[in-house]
Amino acid sequence: MLQFEPLSSQIDPTFWTHLSKLKIDILKQDDKELDIHSTFNPGSLVFLNHESFERGSLPGVLHNTNTIEDFKSLDKQAFLSRMASRIWNAIGDPSILKQPNQMALFALISFADIKKYKFYYWACFPCLLPMVPYELESLTTVDKDLTQYNRFVNRYPQHALFFLYKNDAFAPLSDWESFYDDSCMIGFLDPSLNEKAPGWPLRNYLLMIQRQFKLTKVSVLCLRQKGTSLILNVTMPLFSSEFPKHVGWEKGILGKPAPRVIDLAPLMDPNILAATAVDLNLKLMRWRILPDLDLEKVAGAKCLLLGAGTLGSYVARGLLGWGVRNIDFVDNGKVSFSNPDSTGHEFSIPMPGHVADSPNSISNQTGRLESLIAGHDVIFLLTDSRESRWLPTLLGSYHNKLVINAALGFDSFLVMRHGMRNEIPSKRLGCYFCNDVVAPVDSLSERPLDQQCTVTRPGLSGIAAGLAVDASCLEDDESVLGKVPHQIRGSLGQFTNTVLTGRAYDKCTACSPAIIDAYRQRGHAFVLEAIQKPKTLEEITGLTTLHATDVDVEWDEE
C-alpha cells in the first residue's frame, strides 16, 4: 500500500503582522474569505509569510474570524468538505491541465487577537481518498540533476509543481496528448524527505490522472530539491464518479488534529519591544564597560515614588531605563499611570503642622504609607514641601530602607542618599532633616500659588531625577558605577555640581535614635502628636534645650 508524508504549516511571523495591519486598516469587521498563496519547503512544509497575500505557487484560502468564539464554533468538517469539493470540481475539468496547482489547494482558518498579539489558527490540506488504497508496485531512489527542471520552470512557472517527464525532458500537463506515452512518467515537485513515502500532493494528483485519463497504472517521478528523488510504480483502483471521502486538517503538537496558537507579543507588542531595547542597552554594558554590573539586582528593586508630578515622572523614566519594572506611585491627586507594571496610590501624606484631617484619617494614612515603605526596597522623596518628607524619612529609617531625596528650587537642586541605621553610628550619613535645628512646620498655608508649587527651570527636573536614579543603583561605598555620593547640590545658575558629605545628627527630628524609639513605643499616636504639635519633635530630640542654652560667640575685630 502506498503511504504519503503529511504536510505541515510553516508560518513566518511576518504573515501575522501583515494580517494584523490588514485587519485593522482594511478588513475591520469583514470576515470574508481571502485568497492567499504559499510555497513548498523541503520537509513537507507549506510556507507562508507577508508575501503570501500577493504571490506564491500554491493557491490557498484564508478565513479569519472576528472572535475566538467564531473560530471555535466554525463547522470544521463542513469547511473541509467545501475545500475538498473545490478540488474535486477542479480535477474534473479539463482546464486542470493548464492550471494544475489547483490540485494543491490549501486553507487556513484563524483568529487574530490583535490586542494581545496572539494568533489562533488551523491549517487544512484537503486530500481526496480513493475507494481502495493505491498499491505501490516498486520504489527506486535516483539522483536527479535539477538543471533541466529549472529551465522548464523558467519557461512554464505555472507547471512547477505538476508536470510530465520522459527521457530527461520535462513537459507541462497541457501537452499530454503529444508528449505522454508508455515511457512517460507523471512528475511532481515532492516536498517530502521521507525515503519511503512521497509527499501529500501526490494523492490528489493520482486521482486527477484517474478522472481525466482513466489510467490504472502509472509511473511517478517524485522530484526532490533536497535529498534523493524517487521513482514509483503505482497501481490505482477503478475510478468512481462519486464525491470521495476526504481528510486534511493539520495535526497539533500532540500528534492529533488540533488548532495551534502562537504568541507574538515579544515580536509585536510595542511595550515589550521597548523593554527589549532597554534590556539590550543594559546588557551591552556588561560586555566591556561594566562586566561586574549586577543588572538583575538593580532591575529587581521595588521602588516607591512619593510624588508623581514632573519630578516623579522623570524618575520613573530613569528607573525604566535601568530595567526596573516594579514601580509604585503615591500622590494626593489623580495621576494617569501608563507603565503596566506600576500601581498608583492616591492619599495625602500626614505632615507636621497640617491638622485638617481627623485623627482616624491621619492614622489610616500613616498605616498605608508604612505598609508601602515596608514593602519596597528604595523610597524616593519627590514631594513639593519640606514637611511632606518628614514622615517618609522617619518610616524609611525605622524600616532601614534606602531613601533617595530629590528637592528642587528655581535653579538649584539637592539629591541626597539618606544614611541607614545598619551603618556604623559614628559614620552614619545624615538625612534631609539632619542639618535642621527646628522641627518641620506648615510651609504652604497663606502663600500665593507660585510659592505653593515648585516653580523651576524646565531642565532642572530631568537633571535631578537622573542623578537620583543613578544614586539609587549604587550599593557599596565604591560601586562599579562610581563612588557613592551622600549629597549632590547643583545650580543651573552657575552650572555647577557640588558633592558633599554630612553625618547623621543625634538630635535630628526625623532619624535620630530618640525619634525612632518614640515611634517604636507609641506608633501612630506619636505621629498624631507630631502633626498637631511639631514642637514635640524638638522636645523629644533635645533641640528645645539646645535653643535655651547660651552660646558664647567670639567676634574677630578688624
Side-chain angles (χ1 to χ4, degrees):
M1 183 176 67
L2 180 61
Q3 295 183 332
F4 303 86
E5 184 75 11
L7 293 172
S8 298
S9 60
Q10 184 183 41
I11 305 180
D12 189 83
T14 59
F15 177 87
W16 302 115
T17 57
H18 190 91
L19 175 60
S20 298
K21 183 175 178 58
L22 194 66
K23 181 68 174 175
I24 294 173
D25 296 337
I26 299 177
L27 296 177
K28 301 176 182 177
Q29 289 296 318
D30 192 349
D31 61 354
K32 66 181 179 182
E33 293 179 357
L34 302 175
D35 290 334
I36 57 174
H37 312 272
S38 69
T39 56
F40 282 139
N41 276 352
S44 293
L45 300 175
V46 176
F47 178 73
L48 295 95
N49 62 7
H50 64 285
E51 294 184 343
S52 298
F53 292 87
E54 298 180 0
R55 64 180 69 88
S57 56
L58 304 180
V61 173
L62 170 65
H63 179 53
N64 185 62
T65 62
N66 283 323
T67 66
I68 186 64
E69 289 76 19
D70 290 345
F71 177 82
K72 292 179 179 179
S73 63
L74 180 68
D75 189 333
K76 311 299 190 300
Q77 186 57 44
F79 183 85
L80 171 61
S81 295
R82 186 157 54 85
M83 295 299 109
S85 178
R86 286 182 55 172
I87 296 176
W88 175 249
N89 293 333
I91 66 175
D93 194 299
S95 64
I96 191 67
L97 300 181
K98 296 182 179 180
Q99 298 176 327
N101 291 353
Q102 297 300 318
M103 290 184 284
L105 177 73
F106 72 97
L108 187 71
I109 62 172
S110 64
F111 166 65
D113 189 343
I114 300 174
K115 195 171 183 180
K116 296 181 180 178
Y117 306 99
K118 284 187 175 182
F119 300 88
Y120 302 80
Y121 69 97
W122 200 352
C124 175
F125 309 107
C127 171
L128 305 175
L129 303 179
M131 298 287 291
V132 178
Y134 301 114
E135 291 295 334
L136 178 63
E137 301 296 337
S138 64
L139 182 154
T140 307
T141 60
V142 292
D143 291 322
K144 282 292 181 182
D145 181 29
L146 297 177
T147 302
Q148 293 297 328
Y149 169 77
N150 291 332
R151 292 174 181 171
F152 166 74
V153 171
N154 289 335
R155 184 177 180 184
Y156 301 101
Q158 69 273 27
H159 292 271
L161 298 182
F162 303 99
F163 45 83
L164 299 175
Y165 178 77
K166 179 175 63 175
N167 299 327
D168 290 332
F170 294 84
L173 285 172
S174 55
D175 289 353
W176 182 278
E177 294 295 335
S178 60
F179 190 84
Y180 187 83
D181 56 28
D182 291 342
S183 64
C184 184
M185 300 181 190
I186 64 170
F188 80 108
L189 188 63
D190 189 1
S192 173
L193 296 179
N194 191 322
E195 294 183 355
K196 296 182 178 181
W200 198 258
L202 180 57
R203 308 184 81 152
N204 293 338
Y205 194 11
L206 291 174
L207 197 64
M208 187 277 292
I209 295 297
Q210 279 188 286
R211 190 170 188 183
Q212 290 287 337
F213 304 109
K214 306 299 187 293
L215 298 180
T216 58
K217 290 187 177 183
V218 67
S219 295
V220 182
L221 171 62
C222 305
L223 186 64
R224 297 178 176 180
Q225 294 177 308
K226 184 178 181 180
T228 303
S229 298
L230 305 179
I231 294 179
L232 313 176
N233 288 308
V234 180
T235 298
M236 300 182 288
L238 294 175
F239 173 73
S240 172
S241 60
E242 296 182 4
F243 180 47
K245 295 181 180 180
H246 39 271
V247 294
W249 286 111
E250 182 180 19
K251 294 182 179 180
I253 57 176
L254 297 180
K256 298 180 179 179
R260 301 183 180 189
V261 60
I262 181 171
D263 184 357
L264 292 185
L267 297 178
M268 299 176 64
D269 189 337
N271 293 322
I272 294 180
L273 291 177
T276 301
V278 169
D279 291 342
L280 176 62
N281 175 63
L282 295 173
K283 290 176 181 178
L284 289 177
M285 290 183 184
R286 294 201 293 196
W287 280 30
R288 298 175 187 270
I289 303 172
L290 298 171
D292 296 325
L293 179 61
D294 190 349
L295 286 175
E296 290 72 21
K297 187 170 184 178
V298 173
K302 297 180 179 179
C303 297
L304 178 64
L305 277 56
L306 304 182
T310 303
L311 188 56
S313 298
Y314 275 113
V315 168
R317 290 171 187 163
L319 291 172
L320 289 172
W322 274 107
V324 178
R325 297 294 180 264
N326 197 326
I327 304 172
D328 287 354
F329 296 84
V330 173
D331 201 277
N332 64 354
K334 292 186 179 296
V335 180
S336 176
F337 304 105
S338 59
N339 175 19
D341 294 318
S342 69
T343 304
H345 303 272
E346 182 189 352
F347 64 92
S348 297
I349 297 174
M351 298 179 283
H354 296 254
V355 291
D357 294 329
S358 67
N360 284 339
S361 178
I362 292 174
S363 179
N364 290 336
Q365 291 166 352
T366 301
R368 290 183 67 182
L369 181 61
E370 180 168 20
S371 178
L372 287 170
I373 289 177
H376 289 77
D377 304 310
V378 185
I379 317 300
F380 288 86
L381 307 187
L382 311 168
T383 52
D384 285 333
S385 68
R386 189 175 190 83
E387 60 268 29
S388 63
R389 301 164 189 256
W390 172 78
L391 184 57
T393 299
L394 187 160
L395 295 174
S397 180
Y398 180 78
H399 289 281
N400 202 38
K401 299 293 183 178
L402 175 59
V403 177
I404 304 294
N405 183 83
L408 305 178
F410 170 67
D411 61 0
S412 62
F413 67 85
L414 166 66
V415 172
M416 176 183 285
R417 181 185 171 108
H418 289 191
M420 301 176 70
R421 289 194 300 113
N422 60 354
E423 297 172 0
I424 300 173
S426 61
K427 294 184 179 181
R428 187 165 69 91
L429 299 175
C431 74
Y432 187 56
F433 296 92
C434 279
N435 288 337
D436 293 353
V437 292
V438 294
V441 295
D442 183 1
S443 64
L444 300 178
S445 299
E446 300 181 1
R447 288 194 175 191
L449 181 61
D450 66 326
Q451 293 182 352
Q452 293 184 32
C453 302
T454 304
V455 180
T456 69
R457 287 171 61 161
L460 201 67
S461 296
I463 296 173
L467 292 172
V469 169
D470 273 40
S472 71
C473 298
L474 306 179
E475 301 172 9
D476 305 315
D477 186 51
E478 289 292 339
S479 168
V480 295
L481 290 171
K483 183 176 176 60
V484 179
H486 177 223
Q487 303 177 42
I488 306 172
R489 294 183 180 268
S491 170
L492 275 186
Q494 301 296 324
F495 289 96
T496 59
N497 284 344
T498 304
V499 177
L500 302 172
T501 299
R503 300 302 176 191
Y505 184 32
D506 62 356
K507 293 181 175 56
C508 176
T509 57
C511 73
S512 65
I515 293 296
I516 299 300
D517 289 342
Y519 181 75
R520 181 182 293 109
Q521 295 171 11
R522 300 177 56 198
H524 294 183
F526 165 69
V527 174
L528 179 61
E529 183 178 358
I531 299 301
Q532 295 174 337
K533 300 177 181 179
K535 291 292 183 181
T536 300
L537 300 175
E538 297 178 5
E539 296 172 358
I540 292 175
T541 58
L543 287 177
T544 302
T545 302
L546 180 66
H547 295 163
T549 303
D550 292 332
V551 179
D552 293 330
V553 178
E554 295 183 359
W555 299 91
D556 292 333
E557 295 183 1
E558 295 183 357

